[in-house]
Amino acid sequence: MQISGSTRVFMVLGDPVSQVQAPRLFNALFERHGLDAVLVPAHVRLEDSAAFARGVLSARNVDGLWLTIPHKPALLPLLSRCDRDGRLAQAVNAVRRSEDGSLEGALFDGRGFTKALAHFGFDARGRRALLVGAGGAGAAIAAALLDTGLHTLALHDLGDRAQLLAQRLQPHAGATAVVAAGNDPAGYDLVIHATPLGLRPTDPLPFDVQRLRADALVVDILMKPCDTPLMAACRTRGVRVEPGFEMLVQQVPDYLSFFGMHAAAQAVQADLSGVRALIHAG
């Protein structure tokens, strides 16, 4: 990759940031599609994120920010515009500077998830789904699921987080019933795990796998190089389970399009196999 005075610069903010895959993935795509752009990581503390964003986006060759934990909710007060999923989930994972200098945000996590469901061959229309984990990623997935025609979307989390999210979503849910519920997966067609449980080997399972329907689809959005404990338990029981990597794959064209790289977005969308290969190579 050749960096010059005309290279468009993007940054991905995180705390920590060493684990992010976006620079390796997108820089390879920039090079592959002949884009004079670079994505670099920036390790920024949460309390510094707003000031950092204001400062760095004042540079005319810095065109936007990718956001990861814990920054997705932090920049909302700076935005003049935000897409619907970002407003409902109260978080964004991309921020760009408009021509007038104002900032605009978008949230692609949930859209990536629903497109992953289509890739898995799962039709959500009229089905019942349980989402375990109503934090940032869970809220994004819940907001996007409102567009899939679900019959019921049940949310579970500790404290009142699921109840508050259900109240925020229901006015926008159309015919979908959005409710706060327990973590019993019995009777659901789709069960989504969106908590940190499974990052450590001593973590308990987020729900009782024995209670799953035999024909249910489980999606564990944790992205680990090997099966999570939940995935292993589902496979032992013979229940179909998918990891979260496809959710990331499906977001790539959205990022490229949001940042004005429309030809590359269309080319990547037409054949996502190269993105999958880059992600799994890491």
Side-chain angles (χ1 to χ4, degrees), residues 82-91 107-108 110-111 139-140 143-144 147:
C82 180
D83 67 356
R84 187 209 66 166
D85 285 2
R87 291 193 303 272
L88 291 179
Q90 292 293 287
L107 182 63
F108 304 129
R111 212 173 312 164
D147 297 327

Side-chain angles (χ1 to χ4, degrees), residues 14-176:
D15 184 15
V17 78
S18 59
Q19 81 286 356
V20 298
Q21 299 190 51
R24 181 181 60 83
L25 172 61
F26 281 95
N27 286 327
L29 291 173
F30 294 160
E31 188 170 16
R32 182 176 298 173
H33 293 278
L35 297 166
D36 188 9
V38 62
L39 176 63
V40 297
H43 190 168
V44 180
R45 296 183 304 175
L46 178 60
E47 58 267 32
D48 297 330
S49 59
F52 180 89
R54 285 193 196 96
V56 76
L57 288 172
S58 67
R60 303 308 296 176
N61 65 326
V62 178
D63 287 351
L65 304 175
W66 273 247
L67 303 174
T68 188
I69 295 172
H71 298 300
K72 292 181 182 183
L75 299 191
L76 284 174
L78 304 185
L79 304 180
S80 297
R81 291 173 300 282
C82 180
D83 67 356
R84 187 209 66 166
D85 285 2
R87 291 193 303 272
L88 291 179
Q90 292 293 287
V92 293
N93 57 5
V95 173
R96 67 186 177 194
R97 185 187 59 250
S98 301
E99 289 186 5
D100 64 1
S102 64
L103 302 184
E104 181 176 0
L107 182 63
F108 304 129
D109 289 334
R111 212 173 312 164
F113 182 87
T114 57
K115 289 196 290 185
L117 287 183
H119 175 76
F120 299 148
F122 183 88
D123 186 352
R125 287 175 296 181
R127 313 291 281 277
R128 301 181 72 241
L130 171 65
L131 173 62
V132 179
I141 291 169
L145 283 171
L146 300 184
D147 297 327
T148 63
L150 279 173
H151 177 279
T152 302
L153 174 58
L155 309 174
H156 173 77
D157 209 324
L158 302 177
D160 61 354
R161 190 150 61 173
Q163 182 66 45
L164 293 173
L165 180 59
Q167 292 172 358
R168 194 160 72 241
L169 296 181
Q170 187 59 69
H172 307 273
T176 301

Side-chain angles (χ1 to χ4, degrees), residues 21 199 222-228 231 243 245 279-280 282:
Q21 299 190 51
L199 290 175
L222 290 180
M223 298 183 197
K224 297 184 67 176
C226 56
D227 278 359
T228 65
M231 292 179 65
F245 292 105
I279 289 174
H280 290 293

